[in-house]
Amino acid sequence: LFFRLAASSPTPGAAFRHDRYTYTSMLHLLGEAGRVPAMLHLLAEMLRAGVDPDAATFTTVMHWLARAGDVDAAMRVWEEMRSRRGKCRPTLVSYTACVKILFDAGRAAEGRRVFEEMVAEGLRPSCTTYTVLIEHLADAGKFQATLQIMSDMQDAGVEPDKPLCNILVKKCASAGETSVMTFILQHMKEKGIVLRRPVFLEALEALKASGESPNLLWEVNPHLASEGMEYDPTFSHLSCITDRSTIIYLLASRNWSAIEQMVNELTTRNVKFESHILSDIIQASCANCRPSCGLTVLYYSLRVGSELDRSAYSCLLGQYIRNDSFDLVSKIVERLIKHGCNLGAYLLSVLILRLGSAGHSSYAAHIFGLSPADQNVITYTALMNAYFQAGEVDKALELFSQMITNEISASAGTYEVLIYGLQKAGRKQDSDRYRRERMEMQWHRQYRDKHSPEDSLCDHLFCGFHG
């Protein structure tokens, strides 16, 4: 929206003219969001506007086409870039991206030809380029060949960096290739490179499975011992730490389907996670319109006894309210309260208000009845409003009488809902009576030093509120 807005100023000469940089940024955002048709449409628009794409533009489009599974389309973009050598010369990044796309697609011969073309063009492979080659060889089980590539890159003055070492150790651990892993670990020890915690755990498991000593692994990663993580032959907490790292990785990559599958598996194992991680997953999944993932996490948290932040509950319930899934909202709240989760009067009143606004007074009444401890002037008033919204005036008045019988005093917000609801229903006489009661209540209240927090919140919610 901002991209369009910037270029559409009504003032003559004030509109922003998009260039290859802003177009490329927008293409990247669309590709990252999975909106490939929109990305291609914008590329065509860019060309019609006379803005020449550069190598970064083509590389961006090529990358996201391949990520979407259309490798042939990605290669057509590559050929288009190569055909524009006068205007747009492929860079080292472009060649590296193309080689990776072809290797990942199982088209190794084509990938090697592109790599050879890159060298023939006089471009010197970077550590990222070598990483692509090494990862491909490791995936093919050619671990000795990876050592030769590492030797070649060092001869060329390019040192293996931390990402490359972590990738190769992870591949070795997965394949049980401990001899090559030992060589990499020795290099890491000499260069002061450490492993990421999840990779360290996989390497430790591989060494344990092969019966080899983990001493070198610990020498390479002394920081883990300083964090209180000591070597234990049984390493009983390994699975839990690995699961936690995997969940955090999947959350960072927004892989909601994988998170759902993993949480379902954790539920059967009764593994307990920190509440803040679960709350983050629920809020992020709702923000990305994937509430089913959040619901899976919620049910898991109830099963293992983890109470989440109220903001997580609010996000999930709000998402389903916006989707008109009111029956599910009612069931979620019921399940939360039965498991002892304290939603609080404010959140319950907001839920009742939203359900009432949607015309679902029965669901609102059900939620109100689930938590007697939170039945105060706020929730009573919210349910009265729901009844008025549904045209159930007598139920609203009965509820008001019940509230007074239970010695809960009405606030100004309560009278506001009563007066407006009765006026709307054409019951002027009743409306005038409650207006007089409100004036009398306000006259007495002015002599009180302070009001209860419930009264203040109720007034804040409902004074001036008209449905």
Side-chain angles (χ1 to χ4, degrees):
L1 180 62
F2 180 75
F3 181 85
R4 296 298 184 197
L5 184 64
S8 60
S9 173
T11 306
F16 178 80
R17 179 175 172 79
H18 288 296
D19 56 19
R20 69 183 62 171
Y21 304 106
T22 54
Y23 269 112
T24 300
S25 297
M26 195 66 227
L27 289 167
H28 171 72
L29 291 171
L30 291 171
E32 189 176 31
R35 297 176 58 186
V36 173
M39 178 183 72
L40 296 176
H41 178 78
L42 185 64
L43 178 63
E45 177 186 311
M46 177 183 180
L47 295 171
R48 287 196 302 271
V51 179
D52 289 328
D54 60 7
T57 309
F58 283 117
T59 304
T60 298
V61 174
M62 184 172 68
H63 169 75
W64 290 116
L65 283 171
R67 286 287 295 271
D70 196 345
V71 177
D72 290 336
M75 297 315 298
R76 287 195 294 272
V77 173
W78 168 252
E79 292 301 331
E80 174 67 21
M81 176 166 49
R82 292 176 72 244
S83 70
R84 293 173 170 241
R85 287 185 181 273
K87 297 181 178 179
C88 176
R89 181 186 177 90
T91 64
L92 174 62
V93 175
S94 306
Y95 274 106
T96 301
C98 185
V99 171
K100 180 170 175 56
I101 288 169
L102 291 169
F103 280 161
D104 289 347
R107 294 159 63 168
E110 293 177 65
R112 285 192 291 271
R113 283 198 296 271
V114 172
F115 179 79
E116 291 166 1
E117 178 185 315
M118 177 189 76
V119 175
E121 287 287 325
L123 295 173
R124 180 185 175 187
S126 66
C127 190
T128 304
T129 313
Y130 282 117
T131 301
V132 170
L133 294 174
I134 287 173
E135 192 171 4
H136 165 66
L137 292 169
D139 286 336
K142 300 177 180 179
F143 287 97
Q144 292 300 322
T146 64
L147 297 182
Q148 182 59 50
I149 294 291
M150 285 187 67
S151 176
D152 292 344
M153 66 185 289
Q154 287 175 291
D155 290 343
V158 181
E159 286 293 331
D161 59 6
K162 180 176 178 178
L164 190 157
C165 292
N166 273 265
I167 287 171
L168 193 47
V169 169
K170 180 179 175 63
K171 297 287 184 183
C172 289
S174 299
E177 182 55 65
T178 55
S179 60
V180 174
M181 185 197 299
T182 300
F183 182 89
I184 306 301
L185 290 173
Q186 189 61 49
H187 167 79
M188 295 176 71
K189 180 182 177 182
E190 293 171 2
K191 301 298 181 180
I193 301 173
V194 298
L195 291 172
R196 292 184 295 111
R197 185 186 290 259
V199 179
F200 168 85
L201 294 171
E202 288 189 47
L204 185 58
E205 276 290 274
L207 291 170
K208 284 169 56 183
S210 66
E212 297 185 34
S213 170
N215 291 341
L216 177 59
L217 181 64
W218 282 101
E219 290 173 16
V220 172
N221 300 278
H223 63 296
L224 295 175
S226 67
E227 291 177 11
M229 185 175 171
E230 299 178 359
Y231 177 63
D232 180 350
T234 59
F235 212 71
S236 59
H237 61 298
L238 172 61
S239 176
C240 181
I241 296 174
T242 304
D243 289 337
R244 182 181 184 278
S245 300
T246 304
I247 282 282
I248 292 173
Y249 170 76
L250 293 174
L251 175 60
S253 59
R254 299 294 191 259
N255 194 335
W256 309 116
S257 298
I259 291 176
E260 281 191 61
Q261 293 175 10
M262 186 167 181
V263 170
N264 284 327
E265 179 191 341
L266 294 174
T267 303
T268 61
R269 289 161 44 197
N270 203 35
V271 177
K272 191 170 183 177
F273 266 89
E274 296 96 324
S275 296
H276 70 90
I277 295 178
L278 301 177
S279 297
D280 288 347
I281 293 173
I282 289 178
Q283 293 184 66
S285 65
C286 290
N288 286 269
C289 300
R290 288 296 298 270
S292 62
C293 179
L295 187 60
T296 300
V297 173
L298 174 67
Y299 287 158
Y300 158 78
S301 71
L302 294 175
R303 177 160 181 168
V304 300
S306 294
E307 185 166 352
L308 310 180
D309 297 337
R310 287 185 187 175
S311 56
Y313 298 140
S314 301
C315 281
L316 188 59
L317 292 168
Q319 187 74 36
Y320 281 115
I321 286 174
R322 288 189 291 275
N323 292 343
D324 296 335
S325 303
F326 301 108
D327 182 53
L328 187 54
V329 168
S330 179
K331 289 178 180 176
I332 291 172
V333 174
E334 182 174 0
R335 196 159 177 178
L336 286 170
I337 292 174
K338 282 184 178 178
H339 279 79
C341 296
N342 179 21
L343 297 180
Y346 178 75
L347 179 53
L348 282 174
S349 64
V350 171
L351 281 171
I352 292 169
L353 271 175
R354 293 297 300 272
L355 291 167
S357 299
H360 292 279
S361 59
S362 58
Y363 288 132
H366 179 65
I367 288 176
F368 174 82
L370 288 172
S371 183
D374 290 311
Q375 290 179 2
N376 55 27
V377 65
I378 308 169
T379 51
Y380 266 106
T381 304
L383 184 55
M384 284 179 218
N385 182 76
Y387 282 140
F388 279 124
Q389 290 284 316
E392 299 172 309
V393 179
D394 291 335
K395 284 188 177 182
L397 294 176
E398 288 173 14
L399 186 67
F400 178 72
S401 299
Q402 178 187 324
M403 183 182 80
I404 300 302
T405 301
N406 291 337
E407 299 182 347
I408 298 174
S409 300
S411 72
T414 309
Y415 282 112
E416 184 85 6
V417 169
L418 280 169
I419 294 166
Y420 179 77
L422 289 167
Q423 281 181 338
K424 191 175 178 181
R427 296 174 61 164
K428 185 177 183 305
Q429 188 174 355
D430 289 332
S431 173
D432 290 343
R433 176 163 65 87
Y434 286 115
R435 184 176 282 107
R436 288 192 296 273
E437 282 189 19
R438 180 179 64 178
M439 291 176 63
E440 184 178 350
M441 180 269 296
Q442 290 174 332
W443 187 83
H444 287 293
R445 179 181 278 189
Q446 66 182 322
Y447 296 103
R448 290 160 55 184
D449 293 334
K450 59 181 180 180
H451 312 307
S452 70
E454 290 82 6
D455 284 347
S456 299
L457 183 54
C458 188
D459 293 349
H460 173 75
L461 284 173
F462 297 104
C463 282
F465 177 86
H466 298 305

